[in-house]
Amino acid sequence: MASHRKWSPTGTRIAGIRTPALATAALTSVALLSQTANAAPSADSKPSIEEVEKKVDDLYHQAEAATEKYNATREKTAQQRKRVDSLLDDVAQRTEKLNTARDELGSFAAAQYRTGASAPDTATLLLADNPQDYFDQTQLMSRLTSRQKVAVDDYITEQAATTKKRAEASQSLQTLTTTQSALRTSKADVQRKLAEARDLLSKLTADEKARLAAIEKKRQEAADRKAAELAQQQAAAEKKAQEAAARQQTTTGTTATTGSSATDSSYTAKADKALAFARAQVGKPYVWGATGPGSYDCSGLTQAAWKTAGVDLPRTTWDQVNVGTTVPLSDIKPGDLVFFYDDISHVGLYVGNGMMIHAPKPGAYVREESIFYGGESIIHSVVRPA
């Protein structure tokens, strides 16, 4: 698996650091607030539609980042719960074995009592905190038969193993409790961000909502233009490659080939399966933490799509970005994963012609949309997962 390398498009930079569109918007808002912090309150202190739009976008972005954190924590919780269940089952089985060994020793004690042998020694063993120390300090072992010695050894072994497994189970339960607490925190964080975004939108008048829709329409139109430009660039590059291959065939009588032809064909076949699945999900609602079949979040959709092609992707965007090979945007192919934002909190499945299928955000539905929906600067990287 190739190491992940971030594709860095030209964008706004501050002190040599590329800042995504939302980060730039946040900095602009901070500057505006700083300029007016000391000014007297005006009669109209309501934020502009542009400011509301940027704030809502930022809140949805934060909610999606919190969703990925929730997904990662939930996955960890499930793994830890399996471990706890396994340890508890093991403890139960070992306890049963320990009880059997204790019963066998008890029968020896009863037999010794009936024959007048040293019953108190064996009885004391059954109550001892540390049987091994008891045997080390007495001569009991010398008075036991071979069968009794085996029973004593089994008892000591099972007691030590059971004590160890109980300690492991206790520690795992504590770890699980901590992780479950983190899961609740992540869930609350998502819900808080979404509630804040909904509250902002609910305060808009009908006219303001119309203006907000107009802003969104202009943004989509710009994104569609960028998608068309990318499609044209890729078509031109493909035509150039075909012309070069044709010239070589005319000159040498052989068809120009590359060593990756078989690999490309295999990837295309898998990508077609993933894309067919994704297209069938269009129109289903975005639900954070969902992995289908009725609803999805962004990484849940890409994971489910590629699974139909026999490729198991991890649950979160942060892990999915490290699977496969990072490729430049200019070399993007249908089926590739497109990741967004510096915190890698969103992902979509590329379908070609600058478009992708993705689960956008809460309140929206799985849809096909330009990969430039939020501007070129928020595209983090492109990954070919198989």
Side-chain angles (χ1 to χ4, degrees), residues 268-336:
T268 299
K270 292 178 181 178
D272 286 345
K273 292 181 180 179
L275 289 170
F277 177 89
R279 289 191 178 97
Q281 312 315 307
V282 170
K284 293 183 178 180
Y286 176 106
V287 174
W288 62 274
T291 57
S295 57
Y296 298 88
D297 61 20
C298 67
S299 56
L301 176 63
T302 51
Q303 182 188 49
W306 268 105
K307 186 175 183 179
T308 63
V311 177
D312 291 325
L313 295 180
R315 178 63 183 92
T316 69
T317 54
W318 305 323
D319 291 326
Q320 289 182 8
V321 75
N322 293 315
V323 175
T325 305
T326 301
V327 298
L329 182 62
S330 59
D331 190 36
I332 191 171
K333 294 181 179 180
D336 289 351

Side-chain angles (χ1 to χ4, degrees), residues 7 22 59 73 124 169 192 197 206-208 210 216 218 236 241 263 291 306 333 339 345 354:
W7 170 72
L22 289 176
L59 285 169
T73 306
T124 304
R192 184 169 57 253
D207 180 62
E208 289 171 332
E216 177 63 23
K218 287 183 179 180
T263 301
T291 57
W306 268 105
K333 294 181 179 180
F339 294 90
S345 58

Side-chain angles (χ1 to χ4, degrees), residues 10 64 84 119 131 159 207 214 229 233 276 313 345 368 384:
T10 303
E64 197 158 32
V84 168
Q159 188 191 54
D207 180 62
E229 289 175 10
Q233 291 169 3
L313 295 180
S345 58
E368 185 171 321
R384 192 156 297 152

Side-chain angles (χ1 to χ4, degrees), residues 133-150:
D133 287 347
Y134 178 78
F135 283 119
D136 291 343
Q137 296 170 12
T138 69
Q139 301 298 317
L140 180 61
M141 287 298 288
S142 65
R143 296 197 295 272
L144 298 179
T145 67
S146 297
R147 182 184 172 192
Q148 290 172 331
K149 289 179 180 178
V150 170

Side-chain angles (χ1 to χ4, degrees), residues 7 230 267 298 302 306 317 320-321 327 329 332-341 344-352 354-358 369-373 375-376 378-385:
W7 170 72
L230 177 61
Y267 181 73
C298 67
T302 51
W306 268 105
T317 54
Q320 289 182 8
V321 75
V327 298
L329 182 62
I332 191 171
K333 294 181 179 180
D336 289 351
L337 302 177
V338 189
F339 294 90
F340 298 88
Y341 306 109
I344 321 176
S345 58
H346 188 66
V347 63
L349 188 68
Y350 189 66
V351 300
M355 306 295 285
M356 67 177 173
I357 294 175
H358 69 147
E369 189 170 24
S370 168
I371 63 173
F372 302 102
Y373 76 102
E376 185 175 1
I378 70 167
I379 296 178
H380 179 277
S381 55
V382 177
V383 172
R384 192 156 297 152

Side-chain angles (χ1 to χ4, degrees), residues 51-61 197 200-201:
E51 289 172 333
V52 171
E53 186 244 0
K54 290 174 181 176
K55 179 64 175 176
V56 168
D57 279 352
D58 188 38
L59 285 169
Y60 278 134
H61 172 205
L200 279 172
L201 292 173

Side-chain angles (χ1 to χ4, degrees), residues 141-216:
M141 287 298 288
S142 65
R143 296 197 295 272
L144 298 179
T145 67
S146 297
R147 182 184 172 192
Q148 290 172 331
K149 289 179 180 178
V150 170
V152 169
D153 287 340
D154 288 345
Y155 178 79
I156 293 172
T157 300
E158 284 303 326
Q159 188 191 54
T162 302
T163 300
K164 180 180 178 181
K165 287 298 180 180
R166 281 174 178 164
E168 289 180 15
S170 178
Q171 181 60 48
S172 293
L173 280 170
Q174 291 178 9
T175 301
L176 177 59
T177 300
T178 300
T179 307
Q180 288 175 327
S181 177
L183 185 66
R184 289 190 292 271
T185 299
S186 296
K187 183 176 182 178
D189 194 22
V190 176
Q191 293 173 328
R192 184 169 57 253
K193 299 297 183 185
L194 295 180
E196 190 174 348
R198 287 193 293 267
D199 183 60
L200 279 172
L201 292 173
S202 69
K203 294 178 180 178
L204 297 178
T205 64
D207 180 62
E208 289 171 332
K209 290 179 180 178
R211 288 164 57 195
L212 187 61
I215 292 173
E216 177 63 23

